[in-house]
PDB file of all heavy atoms in Angstrom:
ATOM      1  N   ALA D 266      -3.008  -4.158  -4.889  1.00  0.00           N
ATOM      2  CA  ALA D 266      -1.637  -3.700  -5.118  1.00  0.00           C
ATOM      3  C   ALA D 266      -1.632  -2.791  -6.355  1.00  0.00           C
ATOM      4  O   ALA D 266      -2.358  -3.006  -7.284  1.00  0.00           O
ATOM      5  CB  ALA D 266      -0.673  -4.874  -5.330  1.00  0.00           C
ATOM      6  N   ILE D 267      -0.842  -1.776  -6.281  1.00  0.00           N
ATOM      7  CA  ILE D 267      -0.734  -0.764  -7.401  1.00  0.00           C
ATOM      8  C   ILE D 267       0.774  -0.811  -7.838  1.00  0.00           C
ATOM      9  O   ILE D 267       1.621  -0.554  -7.035  1.00  0.00           O
ATOM     10  CB  ILE D 267      -1.133   0.559  -7.007  1.00  0.00           C
ATOM     11  CG1 ILE D 267      -2.609   0.564  -6.515  1.00  0.00           C
ATOM     12  CG2 ILE D 267      -0.908   1.595  -8.115  1.00  0.00           C
ATOM     13  CD1 ILE D 267      -3.009   1.864  -5.811  1.00  0.00           C
ATOM     14  N   GLY D 268       1.010  -1.186  -9.072  1.00  0.00           N
ATOM     15  CA  GLY D 268       2.310  -1.189  -9.625  1.00  0.00           C
ATOM     16  C   GLY D 268       3.205  -2.352  -9.083  1.00  0.00           C
ATOM     17  O   GLY D 268       4.435  -2.305  -9.287  1.00  0.00           O
ATOM     18  N   CYS D 269       2.585  -3.280  -8.411  1.00  0.00           N
ATOM     19  CA  CYS D 269       3.319  -4.491  -7.890  1.00  0.00           C
ATOM     20  C   CYS D 269       2.264  -5.553  -7.662  1.00  0.00           C
ATOM     21  O   CYS D 269       1.064  -5.361  -8.021  1.00  0.00           O
ATOM     22  CB  CYS D 269       4.017  -4.157  -6.570  1.00  0.00           C
ATOM     23  SG  CYS D 269       2.999  -3.539  -5.259  1.00  0.00           S
ATOM     24  N   THR D 270       2.672  -6.679  -7.119  1.00  0.00           N
ATOM     25  CA  THR D 270       1.694  -7.738  -6.889  1.00  0.00           C
ATOM     26  C   THR D 270       1.626  -7.996  -5.363  1.00  0.00           C
ATOM     27  O   THR D 270       2.571  -7.766  -4.650  1.00  0.00           O
ATOM     28  CB  THR D 270       2.145  -9.074  -7.546  1.00  0.00           C
ATOM     29  OG1 THR D 270       3.409  -9.465  -6.969  1.00  0.00           O
ATOM     30  CG2 THR D 270       2.264  -8.910  -9.051  1.00  0.00           C
ATOM     31  N   ILE D 271       0.523  -8.468  -4.945  1.00  0.00           N
ATOM     32  CA  ILE D 271       0.225  -8.753  -3.491  1.00  0.00           C
ATOM     33  C   ILE D 271       1.296  -9.784  -3.060  1.00  0.00           C
ATOM     34  O   ILE D 271       1.944  -9.620  -1.952  1.00  0.00           O
ATOM     35  CB  ILE D 271      -1.135  -9.294  -3.196  1.00  0.00           C
ATOM     36  CG1 ILE D 271      -2.177  -8.148  -3.400  1.00  0.00           C
ATOM     37  CG2 ILE D 271      -1.306  -9.872  -1.849  1.00  0.00           C
ATOM     38  CD1 ILE D 271      -2.116  -7.030  -2.394  1.00  0.00           C
ATOM     39  N   ASP D 272       1.480 -10.838  -3.746  1.00  0.00           N
ATOM     40  CA  ASP D 272       2.356 -11.924  -3.322  1.00  0.00           C
ATOM     41  C   ASP D 272       3.816 -11.550  -3.233  1.00  0.00           C
ATOM     42  O   ASP D 272       4.555 -12.174  -2.462  1.00  0.00           O
ATOM     43  CB  ASP D 272       2.183 -13.149  -4.246  1.00  0.00           C
ATOM     44  CG  ASP D 272       0.796 -13.756  -4.149  1.00  0.00           C
ATOM     45  OD1 ASP D 272       0.120 -13.638  -3.056  1.00  0.00           O
ATOM     46  OD2 ASP D 272       0.348 -14.402  -5.190  1.00  0.00           O
ATOM     47  N   SER D 273       4.239 -10.597  -3.999  1.00  0.00           N
ATOM     48  CA  SER D 273       5.675 -10.213  -3.989  1.00  0.00           C
ATOM     49  C   SER D 273       5.903  -8.712  -3.898  1.00  0.00           C
ATOM     50  O   SER D 273       6.804  -8.204  -4.485  1.00  0.00           O
ATOM     51  CB  SER D 273       6.352 -10.826  -5.208  1.00  0.00           C
ATOM     52  OG  SER D 273       5.786 -10.296  -6.404  1.00  0.00           O
ATOM     53  N   ALA D 274       5.066  -8.018  -3.175  1.00  0.00           N
ATOM     54  CA  ALA D 274       5.069  -6.593  -3.127  1.00  0.00           C
ATOM     55  C   ALA D 274       6.436  -6.055  -2.691  1.00  0.00           C
ATOM     56  O   ALA D 274       6.991  -5.171  -3.359  1.00  0.00           O
ATOM     57  CB  ALA D 274       4.029  -6.017  -2.188  1.00  0.00           C
ATOM     58  N   PHE D 275       6.989  -6.543  -1.631  1.00  0.00           N
ATOM     59  CA  PHE D 275       8.308  -6.060  -1.165  1.00  0.00           C
ATOM     60  C   PHE D 275       9.357  -6.280  -2.225  1.00  0.00           C
ATOM     61  O   PHE D 275      10.159  -5.364  -2.539  1.00  0.00           O
ATOM     62  CB  PHE D 275       8.637  -6.740   0.170  1.00  0.00           C
ATOM     63  CG  PHE D 275      10.030  -6.308   0.697  1.00  0.00           C
ATOM     64  CD1 PHE D 275      10.191  -5.000   1.161  1.00  0.00           C
ATOM     65  CD2 PHE D 275      11.112  -7.139   0.661  1.00  0.00           C
ATOM     66  CE1 PHE D 275      11.406  -4.563   1.635  1.00  0.00           C
ATOM     67  CE2 PHE D 275      12.319  -6.722   1.153  1.00  0.00           C
ATOM     68  CZ  PHE D 275      12.496  -5.457   1.656  1.00  0.00           C
ATOM     69  N   GLU D 276       9.444  -7.490  -2.735  1.00  0.00           N
ATOM     70  CA  GLU D 276      10.437  -7.811  -3.781  1.00  0.00           C
ATOM     71  C   GLU D 276      10.256  -6.918  -4.997  1.00  0.00           C
ATOM     72  O   GLU D 276      11.222  -6.428  -5.592  1.00  0.00           O
ATOM     73  CB  GLU D 276      10.371  -9.272  -4.151  1.00  0.00           C
ATOM     74  CG  GLU D 276      10.801 -10.265  -3.074  1.00  0.00           C
ATOM     75  CD  GLU D 276       9.684 -10.555  -2.077  1.00  0.00           C
ATOM     76  OE1 GLU D 276       8.510 -10.059  -2.206  1.00  0.00           O
ATOM     77  OE2 GLU D 276      10.017 -11.256  -1.084  1.00  0.00           O
ATOM     78  N   ASP D 277       8.991  -6.679  -5.423  1.00  0.00           N
ATOM     79  CA  ASP D 277       8.777  -5.841  -6.567  1.00  0.00           C
ATOM     80  C   ASP D 277       9.256  -4.407  -6.298  1.00  0.00           C
ATOM     81  O   ASP D 277       9.815  -3.822  -7.186  1.00  0.00           O
ATOM     82  CB  ASP D 277       7.202  -5.791  -6.839  1.00  0.00           C
ATOM     83  CG  ASP D 277       6.634  -7.123  -7.324  1.00  0.00           C
ATOM     84  OD1 ASP D 277       7.442  -8.023  -7.658  1.00  0.00           O
ATOM     85  OD2 ASP D 277       5.402  -7.290  -7.267  1.00  0.00           O
ATOM     86  N   MET D 278       8.946  -3.902  -5.122  1.00  0.00           N
ATOM     87  CA  MET D 278       9.412  -2.577  -4.777  1.00  0.00           C
ATOM     88  C   MET D 278      10.925  -2.452  -4.759  1.00  0.00           C
ATOM     89  O   MET D 278      11.506  -1.482  -5.170  1.00  0.00           O
ATOM     90  CB  MET D 278       8.735  -2.108  -3.409  1.00  0.00           C
ATOM     91  CG  MET D 278       7.268  -1.912  -3.524  1.00  0.00           C
ATOM     92  SD  MET D 278       6.536  -1.419  -1.906  1.00  0.00           S
ATOM     93  CE  MET D 278       4.826  -1.355  -2.355  1.00  0.00           C
ATOM     94  N   CYS D 279      11.543  -3.482  -4.171  1.00  0.00           N
ATOM     95  CA  CYS D 279      13.009  -3.477  -4.118  1.00  0.00           C
ATOM     96  C   CYS D 279      13.619  -3.518  -5.517  1.00  0.00           C
ATOM     97  O   CYS D 279      14.636  -2.869  -5.778  1.00  0.00           O
ATOM     98  CB  CYS D 279      13.511  -4.649  -3.310  1.00  0.00           C
ATOM     99  SG  CYS D 279      13.226  -4.488  -1.532  1.00  0.00           S
ATOM    100  N   GLN D 280      12.964  -4.229  -6.454  1.00  0.00           N
ATOM    101  CA  GLN D 280      13.487  -4.339  -7.766  1.00  0.00           C
ATOM    102  C   GLN D 280      13.456  -2.951  -8.452  1.00  0.00           C
ATOM    103  O   GLN D 280      14.414  -2.583  -9.155  1.00  0.00           O
ATOM    104  CB  GLN D 280      12.574  -5.375  -8.594  1.00  0.00           C
ATOM    105  CG  GLN D 280      13.132  -5.559  -9.971  1.00  0.00           C
ATOM    106  CD  GLN D 280      12.239  -6.551 -10.758  1.00  0.00           C
ATOM    107  OE1 GLN D 280      11.157  -6.791 -10.436  1.00  0.00           O
ATOM    108  NE2 GLN D 280      12.871  -7.110 -11.786  1.00  0.00           N
ATOM    109  N   ILE D 281      12.412  -2.230  -8.276  1.00  0.00           N
ATOM    110  CA  ILE D 281      12.315  -0.887  -8.868  1.00  0.00           C
ATOM    111  C   ILE D 281      13.413   0.059  -8.307  1.00  0.00           C
ATOM    112  O   ILE D 281      14.093   0.743  -9.038  1.00  0.00           O
ATOM    113  CB  ILE D 281      10.921  -0.257  -8.704  1.00  0.00           C
ATOM    114  CG1 ILE D 281       9.840  -1.023  -9.514  1.00  0.00           C
ATOM    115  CG2 ILE D 281      10.920   1.207  -9.057  1.00  0.00           C
ATOM    116  CD1 ILE D 281      10.051  -0.999 -11.024  1.00  0.00           C
ATOM    117  N   LYS D 282      13.560  -0.046  -7.000  1.00  0.00           N
ATOM    118  CA  LYS D 282      14.631   0.772  -6.406  1.00  0.00           C
ATOM    119  C   LYS D 282      15.978   0.384  -6.970  1.00  0.00           C
ATOM    120  O   LYS D 282      16.877   1.242  -7.197  1.00  0.00           O
ATOM    121  CB  LYS D 282      14.653   0.576  -4.885  1.00  0.00           C
ATOM    122  CG  LYS D 282      13.491   1.371  -4.229  1.00  0.00           C
ATOM    123  CD  LYS D 282      13.522   1.312  -2.722  1.00  0.00           C
ATOM    124  CE  LYS D 282      14.783   1.895  -2.213  1.00  0.00           C
ATOM    125  NZ  LYS D 282      14.674   3.062  -1.370  1.00  0.00           N
ATOM    126  N   LYS D 283      16.254  -0.855  -7.124  1.00  0.00           N
ATOM    127  CA  LYS D 283      17.542  -1.367  -7.614  1.00  0.00           C
ATOM    128  C   LYS D 283      17.745  -0.877  -9.080  1.00  0.00           C
ATOM    129  O   LYS D 283      18.842  -0.435  -9.436  1.00  0.00           O
ATOM    130  CB  LYS D 283      17.635  -2.884  -7.575  1.00  0.00           C
ATOM    131  CG  LYS D 283      18.999  -3.402  -7.934  1.00  0.00           C
ATOM    132  CD  LYS D 283      19.077  -4.911  -7.677  1.00  0.00           C
ATOM    133  CE  LYS D 283      20.476  -5.398  -7.911  1.00  0.00           C
ATOM    134  NZ  LYS D 283      20.672  -6.821  -7.563  1.00  0.00           N
ATOM    135  N   ILE D 284      16.701  -1.015  -9.879  1.00  0.00           N
ATOM    136  CA  ILE D 284      16.826  -0.550 -11.266  1.00  0.00           C
ATOM    137  C   ILE D 284      17.232   0.876 -11.403  1.00  0.00           C
ATOM    138  O   ILE D 284      18.053   1.267 -12.203  1.00  0.00           O
ATOM    139  CB  ILE D 284      15.465  -0.752 -12.010  1.00  0.00           C
ATOM    140  CG1 ILE D 284      15.208  -2.278 -12.250  1.00  0.00           C
ATOM    141  CG2 ILE D 284      15.380  -0.016 -13.344  1.00  0.00           C
ATOM    142  CD1 ILE D 284      13.828  -2.593 -12.691  1.00  0.00           C
TER     143      ILE D 284
END
Side-chain angles (χ1 to χ4, degrees):
I267 299 168
C269 57
T270 62
I271 290 291
D272 293 334
S273 60
F275 179 70
E276 292 83 4
D277 295 345
M278 291 178 183
C279 287
Q280 182 179 23
I281 293 297
K282 284 185 63 116
K283 187 173 185 175
I284 288 170

